[in-house]
Amino acid sequence: MNGVFSRDKVLTIDTMNPTVKNVEYAVRGPIVQRAMQIEKELREGVKKPFTEVIKANIGDAHAMGQQPITFFRQVLALCSYPELLNENMFPEDAKNRARRILQACGGGSVGAYSASQGIDCVRQDVARYIERRDGGVPCDPDNVYLTTGASDGIVTMLKLLVCGEGASRTGVMISIPQYPLYSAALAELGAVQVNYYLNEEKCWSMDLSELESSLAEARKHCNPKALCIINPGNPTGQVQSRQCIEGVIRFAAKERLFLMADEVYQDNVYAEGCQFHSFKKVLFELGPEYSDNVELASFHSTSKCYMGECGFRGGYMEVINMDAEVQAQLSKLVSVRLCPPVPGQALMDLVVNSPQPGEPSHITFMKERTATLSLLAEKAKLTEQILNTVPGITCNPVQGAMYSFPNISLPEKSIKEAKALGQAPDMFYCMKLLEETGICLVPGSGFGQKDGTYHFRMTILPPTDKLKILLAKVKEFHQKFTQQYS
Amino acid sequence: MNGVFSRDKVLTIDTMNPTVKNVEYAVRGPIVQRAMQIEKELREGVKKPFTEVIKANIGDAHAMGQQPITFFRQVLALCSYPELLNENMFPEDAKNRARRILQACGGGSVGAYSASQGIDCVRQDVARYIERRDGGVPCDPDNVYLTTGASDGIVTMLKLLVCGEGASRTGVMISIPQYPLYSAALAELGAVQVNYYLNEEKCWSMDLSELESSLAEARKHCNPKALCIINPGNPTGQVQSRQCIEGVIRFAAKERLFLMADEVYQDNVYAEGCQFHSFKKVLFELGPEYSDNVELASFHSTSKCYMGECGFRGGYMEVINMDAEVQAQLSKLVSVRLCPPVPGQALMDLVVNSPQPGEPSHITFMKERTATLSLLAEKAKLTEQILNTVPGITCNPVQGAMYSFPNISLPEKSIKEAKALGQAPDMFYCMKLLEETGICLVPGSGFGQKDGTYHFRMTILPPTDKLKILLAKVKEFHQKFTQQYS
């Protein structure tokens, strides 16, 4: 019998799916794992030069102390335990929203599966929200798919697009720096990641000439079929201008690229003169030769903006000008996972159908929403200002989203030392920062950056007092680090 | 300009991912789509020979009127809106569970992302539950991964396993009849589906000789690496004996197969003399030469059993004897999707950490749990008995899970007519049943079956009165259909 068992595992690093091995995801990578270890060490009484880890590695607003919107949570509690509808403690508009959602659920329970595409009335509410947002451009609820966060929608769309082998493999254009969900999904699907660089000198804007040369180069070795844009930008915090978006749409039309617009930060716009323009609205303003033809998928989520409800994994995507047969395949594909989480669908509904003037919850809702967005705007400004006082750190304005992505000058000696350790120089920097100060940031190399440049991504989410401590520590650390390696 | 636009779509049925096209998912396939259309027609006043559609196509208990467990929903409401902790309306044990879960969430909010593997204390509770269930066999919380329903865990495990091209492509053995998530996932991943047939004559048990011959045949053209078992069975409702499970484990050990045990119906056992045996427990009872070596992943969910909370998409998987490097890859892979829905994690926690004797909610909880499971047992019996009174229908005992999968004799003429329409004969039958009676079942061909045999899958979930109507209508229809095509 023994011979049978003295054997290797069936599933080993050598026999497993190689595309999975290629996946990387910096936002929860080695720095974050080390940060969690350090937190454990602190709890166990290990002495450190700091007493707490401050995490600015992930866009997780509630974890950083942001309070949920009262109205949303009231309706979710009512949906979870409908007996509460008989209590006097909830405002009528919250009860009405809950009743409407429950009525649309099988058996009146959020515990039933919904239709795979999402609850009908939620998709209708999403469609009306999009129409309001885009100044009346029509939206068909049949083109709206509720998702498990935006990530799920993005991966599903990429899955539809990807095919081919060798020189005919599908290429997908993504911005560099990028949000690593894109590179991870492309690696897993075996597609070709086609990089186009954002222009750091022009506040991370998109250059058409860069798009053109990146595409031309890619066409030599793959079949580029899609162009992804994140606006407002992650990790770079820019807000693209209307003119830029128009240029991108014309480029996609001319070059026959499927557009994927990641617009999860659509309410997170802080800088004076900046405004969110949805790709769909601009597409329709360009006239029917564009709006009847260019294929577009746009993604939104409950996780960001003023609500920050990441844990619920709510989201939607809208597809525009999708081929009818492909859309049938999309509908089939989403049915295999049965449905997105119903509490997340309910929350998405509340976001697109929030309290209206005259309703009992309107004033509180607006107060909470405005306070959260104002505070974020303040912290965006604070972050940019303080970072720019540090010699060797240059930070673009945080126009929107939740991140700054400053450029850091690293001394030659530190670069050499990092390379000797087999580490990216900014990983070396961030790891040292973590060990010495307890501050957890993500190195720029996890998002991609121009060769020879170094960055880190830092969220603006910590409470103001902690954010100030964090920025002061970064300043001090950077000066010390520069001195040490000069 | 016009030349640019008079063009085909970028993404068409010919240019899209071909593996997605191969995906099929009968549980939400054409029959169900037609059922939804018919419901719409009924609402619009179209005259039909029936007044409502009765759906027995999907294991969706709440949609069929099953009530949620009060305690679970109280805790979920408290987690959603923690202000309720200050009210006197909830029992102390519900409040304590909610406080414990909230304390484990970032910022004390279920709106924060959790760790990608799931909330620590929930994984600890899952581990203790597994230990109790398996009579003390140890479970390490680090081997527990919370998931977005069981489907998510199954697809993730398959994703790790699949690789290779041509004759070295990964093969995965699945039972026929099977739950079509498996075939859909394998199609999408480009793996080889290796069928082994359950023995209908012996109440859908597993034959070792069938496993052996299926494997031998598969080895001629692919590399079989894993063996999937669903126990209690979907769509076939059997409960595998301890002896059978032991045989399967010995087979997997000898043939070097990774075991995947889908055990989401572990509380759904109704038949006298039947008992649920977890693969893990049996593995450990076979001694260290098995328990130290055989690789196993086991899946559970909040969607089935007595809770039926499908909409929350909660679940977990436990991996046993997984290679450490592979497990690191698994942890990385799940991090890309950030985390499973936190309300679903909270619910999973309540399932594995339900009210204990002496706690205020214990009596009500046990009453609700027992009532639901007793009613299901009754309906399982009823379904089997009535179906077996129909000439031409033979139904195995519904020992567990939520389904019967009776064998139906179809007249030659109906088979010819179906084939002329390009339809599977049991699809033709089920579609006619739907159009004439409003009853929605899923044809056996959607799950796989022996050539020349025909079945349908029917859930036992409708309320007893509707279930009786449904069974009477099926009986009448089957007799009429047989007559019509004889």
Side-chain angles (χ1 to χ4, degrees), chain A residues 158-182:
Chain A
L158 290 173
K159 206 179 269 177
L160 284 180
L161 278 159
V162 164
C163 62
E165 291 296 325
S168 69
R169 267 207 299 168
T170 296
V172 176
M173 299 181 74
I174 64 173
S175 61
I176 299 293
Q178 56 117 12
Y179 175 56
L181 167 71
Y182 290 91

PDB file of all heavy atoms in Angstrom, chain A residues 158-182:
ATOM      1  N   LEU A 158     -14.292  41.286 -19.922  1.00  0.00           N
ATOM      2  CA  LEU A 158     -13.017  40.848 -20.491  1.00  0.00           C
ATOM      3  C   LEU A 158     -13.127  39.392 -20.960  1.00  0.00           C
ATOM      4  O   LEU A 158     -12.613  39.023 -22.012  1.00  0.00           O
ATOM      5  CB  LEU A 158     -11.890  41.005 -19.477  1.00  0.00           C
ATOM      6  CG  LEU A 158     -11.482  42.447 -19.161  1.00  0.00           C
ATOM      7  CD1 LEU A 158     -10.465  42.483 -18.019  1.00  0.00           C
ATOM      8  CD2 LEU A 158     -10.908  43.161 -20.402  1.00  0.00           C
ATOM      9  N   LYS A 159     -13.841  38.596 -20.175  1.00  0.00           N
ATOM     10  CA  LYS A 159     -14.022  37.186 -20.519  1.00  0.00           C
ATOM     11  C   LYS A 159     -14.706  37.021 -21.871  1.00  0.00           C
ATOM     12  O   LYS A 159     -14.368  36.131 -22.647  1.00  0.00           O
ATOM     13  CB  LYS A 159     -14.871  36.545 -19.421  1.00  0.00           C
ATOM     14  CG  LYS A 159     -14.671  35.079 -19.247  1.00  0.00           C
ATOM     15  CD  LYS A 159     -15.541  34.571 -18.114  1.00  0.00           C
ATOM     16  CE  LYS A 159     -14.836  34.591 -16.770  1.00  0.00           C
ATOM     17  NZ  LYS A 159     -15.752  34.147 -15.677  1.00  0.00           N
ATOM     18  N   LEU A 160     -15.679  37.877 -22.149  1.00  0.00           N
ATOM     19  CA  LEU A 160     -16.361  37.814 -23.445  1.00  0.00           C
ATOM     20  C   LEU A 160     -15.422  38.180 -24.582  1.00  0.00           C
ATOM     21  O   LEU A 160     -15.502  37.639 -25.679  1.00  0.00           O
ATOM     22  CB  LEU A 160     -17.539  38.797 -23.475  1.00  0.00           C
ATOM     23  CG  LEU A 160     -18.810  38.426 -22.737  1.00  0.00           C
ATOM     24  CD1 LEU A 160     -19.835  39.537 -22.908  1.00  0.00           C
ATOM     25  CD2 LEU A 160     -19.387  37.114 -23.262  1.00  0.00           C
ATOM     26  N   LEU A 161     -14.527  39.121 -24.306  1.00  0.00           N
ATOM     27  CA  LEU A 161     -13.709  39.711 -25.377  1.00  0.00           C
ATOM     28  C   LEU A 161     -12.512  38.859 -25.777  1.00  0.00           C
ATOM     29  O   LEU A 161     -12.025  38.952 -26.906  1.00  0.00           O
ATOM     30  CB  LEU A 161     -13.173  41.073 -24.904  1.00  0.00           C
ATOM     31  CG  LEU A 161     -14.126  42.265 -25.029  1.00  0.00           C
ATOM     32  CD1 LEU A 161     -13.697  43.378 -24.086  1.00  0.00           C
ATOM     33  CD2 LEU A 161     -14.174  42.768 -26.472  1.00  0.00           C
ATOM     34  N   VAL A 162     -12.029  38.055 -24.853  1.00  0.00           N
ATOM     35  CA  VAL A 162     -10.710  37.442 -25.033  1.00  0.00           C
ATOM     36  C   VAL A 162     -10.789  36.160 -25.846  1.00  0.00           C
ATOM     37  O   VAL A 162     -11.617  35.299 -25.587  1.00  0.00           O
ATOM     38  CB  VAL A 162     -10.098  37.152 -23.647  1.00  0.00           C
ATOM     39  CG1 VAL A 162      -8.947  36.191 -23.739  1.00  0.00           C
ATOM     40  CG2 VAL A 162      -9.662  38.460 -23.003  1.00  0.00           C
ATOM     41  N   CYS A 163      -9.914  36.038 -26.838  1.00  0.00           N
ATOM     42  CA  CYS A 163      -9.791  34.765 -27.548  1.00  0.00           C
ATOM     43  C   CYS A 163      -8.488  34.766 -28.349  1.00  0.00           C
ATOM     44  O   CYS A 163      -7.698  35.699 -28.292  1.00  0.00           O
ATOM     45  CB  CYS A 163     -10.981  34.515 -28.465  1.00  0.00           C
ATOM     46  SG  CYS A 163     -11.168  35.717 -29.759  1.00  0.00           S
ATOM     47  N   GLY A 164      -8.279  33.687 -29.095  1.00  0.00           N
ATOM     48  CA  GLY A 164      -7.146  33.620 -30.014  1.00  0.00           C
ATOM     49  C   GLY A 164      -5.858  33.158 -29.379  1.00  0.00           C
ATOM     50  O   GLY A 164      -5.709  33.094 -28.156  1.00  0.00           O
ATOM     51  N   GLU A 165      -4.916  32.805 -30.245  1.00  0.00           N
ATOM     52  CA  GLU A 165      -3.614  32.297 -29.826  1.00  0.00           C
ATOM     53  C   GLU A 165      -2.537  33.071 -30.577  1.00  0.00           C
ATOM     54  O   GLU A 165      -2.799  33.633 -31.640  1.00  0.00           O
ATOM     55  CB  GLU A 165      -3.485  30.807 -30.177  1.00  0.00           C
ATOM     56  CG  GLU A 165      -4.380  29.876 -29.349  1.00  0.00           C
ATOM     57  CD  GLU A 165      -4.039  29.876 -27.870  1.00  0.00           C
ATOM     58  OE1 GLU A 165      -2.845  29.998 -27.529  1.00  0.00           O
ATOM     59  OE2 GLU A 165      -4.967  29.771 -27.047  1.00  0.00           O
ATOM     60  N   GLY A 166      -1.340  33.047 -30.062  1.00  0.00           N
ATOM     61  CA  GLY A 166      -0.188  33.636 -30.747  1.00  0.00           C
ATOM     62  C   GLY A 166      -0.461  35.062 -31.175  1.00  0.00           C
ATOM     63  O   GLY A 166      -0.950  35.874 -30.378  1.00  0.00           O
ATOM     64  N   ALA A 167      -0.164  35.397 -32.431  1.00  0.00           N
ATOM     65  CA  ALA A 167      -0.284  36.778 -32.899  1.00  0.00           C
ATOM     66  C   ALA A 167      -1.727  37.225 -33.014  1.00  0.00           C
ATOM     67  O   ALA A 167      -1.999  38.407 -33.215  1.00  0.00           O
ATOM     68  CB  ALA A 167       0.431  36.944 -34.235  1.00  0.00           C
ATOM     69  N   SER A 168      -2.686  36.303 -32.927  1.00  0.00           N
ATOM     70  CA  SER A 168      -4.082  36.736 -32.981  1.00  0.00           C
ATOM     71  C   SER A 168      -4.731  36.767 -31.595  1.00  0.00           C
ATOM     72  O   SER A 168      -5.932  36.929 -31.470  1.00  0.00           O
ATOM     73  CB  SER A 168      -4.879  35.847 -33.941  1.00  0.00           C
ATOM     74  OG  SER A 168      -5.002  34.555 -33.402  1.00  0.00           O
ATOM     75  N   ARG A 169      -3.903  36.622 -30.551  1.00  0.00           N
ATOM     76  CA  ARG A 169      -4.449  36.745 -29.203  1.00  0.00           C
ATOM     77  C   ARG A 169      -5.037  38.122 -29.006  1.00  0.00           C
ATOM     78  O   ARG A 169      -4.505  39.122 -29.501  1.00  0.00           O
ATOM     79  CB  ARG A 169      -3.331  36.538 -28.155  1.00  0.00           C
ATOM     80  CG  ARG A 169      -3.228  35.090 -27.677  1.00  0.00           C
ATOM     81  CD  ARG A 169      -2.655  35.024 -26.270  1.00  0.00           C
ATOM     82  NE  ARG A 169      -1.315  35.574 -26.172  1.00  0.00           N
ATOM     83  CZ  ARG A 169      -0.710  35.829 -25.015  1.00  0.00           C
ATOM     84  NH1 ARG A 169      -1.335  35.599 -23.866  1.00  0.00           N
ATOM     85  NH2 ARG A 169       0.521  36.318 -24.994  1.00  0.00           N
ATOM     86  N   THR A 170      -6.123  38.185 -28.236  1.00  0.00           N
ATOM     87  CA  THR A 170      -6.759  39.463 -27.960  1.00  0.00           C
ATOM     88  C   THR A 170      -5.841  40.352 -27.119  1.00  0.00           C
ATOM     89  O   THR A 170      -5.281  39.907 -26.119  1.00  0.00           O
ATOM     90  CB  THR A 170      -8.077  39.240 -27.190  1.00  0.00           C
ATOM     91  OG1 THR A 170      -8.962  38.520 -28.026  1.00  0.00           O
ATOM     92  CG2 THR A 170      -8.716  40.559 -26.780  1.00  0.00           C
ATOM     93  N   GLY A 171      -5.700  41.593 -27.542  1.00  0.00           N
ATOM     94  CA  GLY A 171      -4.995  42.591 -26.749  1.00  0.00           C
ATOM     95  C   GLY A 171      -6.002  43.550 -26.132  1.00  0.00           C
ATOM     96  O   GLY A 171      -7.024  43.861 -26.739  1.00  0.00           O
ATOM     97  N   VAL A 172      -5.712  43.974 -24.918  1.00  0.00           N
ATOM     98  CA  VAL A 172      -6.584  44.942 -24.245  1.00  0.00           C
ATOM     99  C   VAL A 172      -5.711  46.087 -23.752  1.00  0.00           C
ATOM    100  O   VAL A 172      -4.734  45.882 -23.025  1.00  0.00           O
ATOM    101  CB  VAL A 172      -7.339  44.285 -23.067  1.00  0.00           C
ATOM    102  CG1 VAL A 172      -8.168  45.315 -22.317  1.00  0.00           C
ATOM    103  CG2 VAL A 172      -8.229  43.146 -23.570  1.00  0.00           C
ATOM    104  N   MET A 173      -6.063  47.293 -24.193  1.00  0.00           N
ATOM    105  CA  MET A 173      -5.282  48.480 -23.830  1.00  0.00           C
ATOM    106  C   MET A 173      -5.693  48.961 -22.448  1.00  0.00           C
ATOM    107  O   MET A 173      -6.874  49.185 -22.190  1.00  0.00           O
ATOM    108  CB  MET A 173      -5.509  49.591 -24.851  1.00  0.00           C
ATOM    109  CG  MET A 173      -5.089  49.203 -26.261  1.00  0.00           C
ATOM    110  SD  MET A 173      -5.342  50.566 -27.437  1.00  0.00           S
ATOM    111  CE  MET A 173      -3.978  51.652 -26.967  1.00  0.00           C
ATOM    112  N   ILE A 174      -4.714  49.091 -21.582  1.00  0.00           N
ATOM    113  CA  ILE A 174      -4.988  49.640 -20.248  1.00  0.00           C
ATOM    114  C   ILE A 174      -3.991  50.748 -19.943  1.00  0.00           C
ATOM    115  O   ILE A 174      -2.861  50.732 -20.426  1.00  0.00           O
ATOM    116  CB  ILE A 174      -4.949  48.560 -19.151  1.00  0.00           C
ATOM    117  CG1 ILE A 174      -3.557  47.944 -19.009  1.00  0.00           C
ATOM    118  CG2 ILE A 174      -5.967  47.449 -19.423  1.00  0.00           C
ATOM    119  CD1 ILE A 174      -3.431  47.002 -17.825  1.00  0.00           C
ATOM    120  N   SER A 175      -4.446  51.689 -19.152  1.00  0.00           N
ATOM    121  CA  SER A 175      -3.581  52.811 -18.768  1.00  0.00           C
ATOM    122  C   SER A 175      -2.482  52.303 -17.847  1.00  0.00           C
ATOM    123  O   SER A 175      -2.670  51.360 -17.085  1.00  0.00           O
ATOM    124  CB  SER A 175      -4.398  53.868 -18.031  1.00  0.00           C
ATOM    125  OG  SER A 175      -4.956  53.312 -16.857  1.00  0.00           O
ATOM    126  N   ILE A 176      -1.329  52.941 -17.938  1.00  0.00           N
ATOM    127  CA  ILE A 176      -0.269  52.745 -16.947  1.00  0.00           C
ATOM    128  C   ILE A 176       0.031  54.108 -16.360  1.00  0.00           C
ATOM    129  O   ILE A 176       0.287  55.040 -17.125  1.00  0.00           O
ATOM    130  CB  ILE A 176       1.008  52.161 -17.589  1.00  0.00           C
ATOM    131  CG1 ILE A 176       0.724  50.793 -18.218  1.00  0.00           C
ATOM    132  CG2 ILE A 176       2.136  52.071 -16.556  1.00  0.00           C
ATOM    133  CD1 ILE A 176       0.372  49.686 -17.243  1.00  0.00           C
ATOM    134  N   PRO A 177      -0.037  54.300 -15.061  1.00  0.00           N
ATOM    135  CA  PRO A 177      -0.425  53.327 -14.027  1.00  0.00           C
ATOM    136  C   PRO A 177      -1.879  52.872 -14.166  1.00  0.00           C
ATOM    137  O   PRO A 177      -2.719  53.626 -14.638  1.00  0.00           O
ATOM    138  CB  PRO A 177      -0.228  54.112 -12.729  1.00  0.00           C
ATOM    139  CG  PRO A 177       0.572  55.310 -13.071  1.00  0.00           C
ATOM    140  CD  PRO A 177       0.306  55.614 -14.493  1.00  0.00           C
ATOM    141  N   GLN A 178      -2.132  51.643 -13.702  1.00  0.00           N
ATOM    142  CA  GLN A 178      -3.442  51.016 -13.804  1.00  0.00           C
ATOM    143  C   GLN A 178      -3.852  50.469 -12.450  1.00  0.00           C
ATOM    144  O   GLN A 178      -3.034  50.313 -11.563  1.00  0.00           O
ATOM    145  CB  GLN A 178      -3.363  49.850 -14.803  1.00  0.00           C
ATOM    146  CG  GLN A 178      -2.288  48.814 -14.447  1.00  0.00           C
ATOM    147  CD  GLN A 178      -2.773  47.424 -14.129  1.00  0.00           C
ATOM    148  OE1 GLN A 178      -3.918  47.078 -14.368  1.00  0.00           O
ATOM    149  NE2 GLN A 178      -1.897  46.616 -13.569  1.00  0.00           N
ATOM    150  N   TYR A 179      -5.130  50.122 -12.369  1.00  0.00           N
ATOM    151  CA  TYR A 179      -5.622  49.397 -11.199  1.00  0.00           C
ATOM    152  C   TYR A 179      -5.374  47.908 -11.471  1.00  0.00           C
ATOM    153  O   TYR A 179      -5.814  47.395 -12.503  1.00  0.00           O
ATOM    154  CB  TYR A 179      -7.109  49.702 -11.019  1.00  0.00           C
ATOM    155  CG  TYR A 179      -7.750  48.916  -9.897  1.00  0.00           C
ATOM    156  CD1 TYR A 179      -7.245  48.982  -8.599  1.00  0.00           C
ATOM    157  CD2 TYR A 179      -8.846  48.105 -10.137  1.00  0.00           C
ATOM    158  CE1 TYR A 179      -7.829  48.253  -7.585  1.00  0.00           C
ATOM    159  CE2 TYR A 179      -9.435  47.381  -9.117  1.00  0.00           C
ATOM    160  CZ  TYR A 179      -8.917  47.452  -7.841  1.00  0.00           C
ATOM    161  OH  TYR A 179      -9.486  46.722  -6.833  1.00  0.00           O
ATOM    162  N   PRO A 180      -4.665  47.206 -10.581  1.00  0.00           N
ATOM    163  CA  PRO A 180      -4.160  45.877 -10.940  1.00  0.00           C
ATOM    164  C   PRO A 180      -5.216  44.794 -11.138  1.00  0.00           C
ATOM    165  O   PRO A 180      -4.871  43.691 -11.558  1.00  0.00           O
ATOM    166  CB  PRO A 180      -3.204  45.523  -9.793  1.00  0.00           C
ATOM    167  CG  PRO A 180      -3.491  46.474  -8.696  1.00  0.00           C
ATOM    168  CD  PRO A 180      -4.118  47.689  -9.305  1.00  0.00           C
ATOM    169  N   LEU A 181      -6.480  45.087 -10.889  1.00  0.00           N
ATOM    170  CA  LEU A 181      -7.517  44.134 -11.300  1.00  0.00           C
ATOM    171  C   LEU A 181      -7.382  43.840 -12.792  1.00  0.00           C
ATOM    172  O   LEU A 181      -7.559  42.701 -13.233  1.00  0.00           O
ATOM    173  CB  LEU A 181      -8.915  44.710 -11.033  1.00  0.00           C
ATOM    174  CG  LEU A 181     -10.055  43.935 -11.705  1.00  0.00           C
ATOM    175  CD1 LEU A 181     -10.250  42.580 -11.031  1.00  0.00           C
ATOM    176  CD2 LEU A 181     -11.354  44.711 -11.682  1.00  0.00           C
ATOM    177  N   TYR A 182      -7.078  44.875 -13.573  1.00  0.00           N
ATOM    178  CA  TYR A 182      -7.009  44.707 -15.030  1.00  0.00           C
ATOM    179  C   TYR A 182      -5.882  43.756 -15.422  1.00  0.00           C
ATOM    180  O   TYR A 182      -6.088  42.792 -16.149  1.00  0.00           O
ATOM    181  CB  TYR A 182      -6.851  46.068 -15.729  1.00  0.00           C
ATOM    182  CG  TYR A 182      -8.111  46.880 -15.633  1.00  0.00           C
ATOM    183  CD1 TYR A 182      -8.324  47.758 -14.587  1.00  0.00           C
ATOM    184  CD2 TYR A 182      -9.125  46.735 -16.567  1.00  0.00           C
ATOM    185  CE1 TYR A 182      -9.511  48.478 -14.464  1.00  0.00           C
ATOM    186  CE2 TYR A 182     -10.313  47.450 -16.469  1.00  0.00           C
ATOM    187  CZ  TYR A 182     -10.495  48.315 -15.416  1.00  0.00           C
ATOM    188  OH  TYR A 182     -11.673  49.018 -15.306  1.00  0.00           O
TER     189      TYR A 182
END
